[in-house]
Amino acid sequence: MSTLIKVYGFHLDVFEHVNNARYLEFLEQARWDWIEQHLDFDWFKRNGLALVVANININYRLPANLGDELLIDCNIAEVGVKSGVLSQKIVRKKDGALISDALITFVLVDINTKKALTLTEQLREKLEYVRQAS
């Protein structure tokens, strides 16, 4: 599943291309879509847990411009003991050009204590299943 985002005027900066900060918003929207499709969000809420971004490494490859339609894909790159890494790519729909790519490190956090936890076995199994299915 890809998330489709159309570039509008409010996404642009003074140089008339998508502002670098907007890419982070595009990636976040795609992560929410990905979570809704692959993970049980209610399970996290019932268990007082959340997946939290700990680090983002992003590469800006080409500018996106007004009217471009962008496709954003998410795939699990790594599942560790205490964290995982999600790989995301933004491509321009009309020509498949790679606009941006990013690696997002996430951790499991107890929403009450705000402390990072070891990934539960159930969550690790689910993430590995999604990783292998991609």
Side-chain angles (χ1 to χ4, degrees):
M1 177 197 112
S2 295
T3 295
L4 176 68
I5 293 177
K6 184 172 181 178
V7 176
Y8 292 103
F10 64 89
H11 293 132
L12 306 181
D13 61 19
V14 70
F15 301 108
E16 297 185 10
H17 56 68
V18 173
N19 180 279
N20 66 304
R22 291 291 184 167
Y23 289 99
L24 298 174
E25 294 172 356
F26 296 168
L27 294 170
E28 183 175 15
Q29 181 176 340
R31 285 194 304 276
W32 277 103
D33 289 348
W34 182 86
I35 287 170
E36 286 181 344
Q37 181 182 10
H38 295 291
L39 301 178
D40 181 1
F41 186 70
D42 288 333
W43 178 84
F44 287 94
K45 290 185 354 185
R46 282 192 309 274
N47 289 285
L49 302 171
L51 291 178
V52 175
V53 171
N55 181 275
I56 295 179
N57 288 310
I58 186 168
N59 297 302
Y60 303 99
R61 307 287 183 183
L62 292 171
N65 299 295
L66 183 66
D68 282 347
E69 290 184 315
L70 306 175
L71 294 169
I72 306 171
D73 290 319
C74 303
N75 293 294
I76 296 175
E78 281 179 46
V79 178
V81 174
K82 289 194 163 196
S83 65
V85 177
L86 193 66
S87 170
Q88 293 187 272
K89 292 187 181 192
I90 302 175
V91 298
R92 191 170 34 234
K93 184 179 177 184
K94 72 179 175 187
D95 62 3
L98 179 63
I99 301 297
S100 180
D101 56 86
L103 294 174
I104 293 85
T105 302
F106 59 88
V107 295
L108 184 66
V109 171
D110 179 305
I111 60 173
N112 294 315
T113 66
K114 310 294 187 243
K115 294 191 183 213
L117 305 170
T118 300
L119 297 179
T120 68
E121 189 61 31
Q122 180 182 8
L123 181 56
R124 284 175 46 82
E125 288 174 5
K126 178 65 173 174
L127 292 171
E128 283 293 350
Y129 175 79
V130 171
R131 177 182 180 188
Q132 292 171 6
S134 298

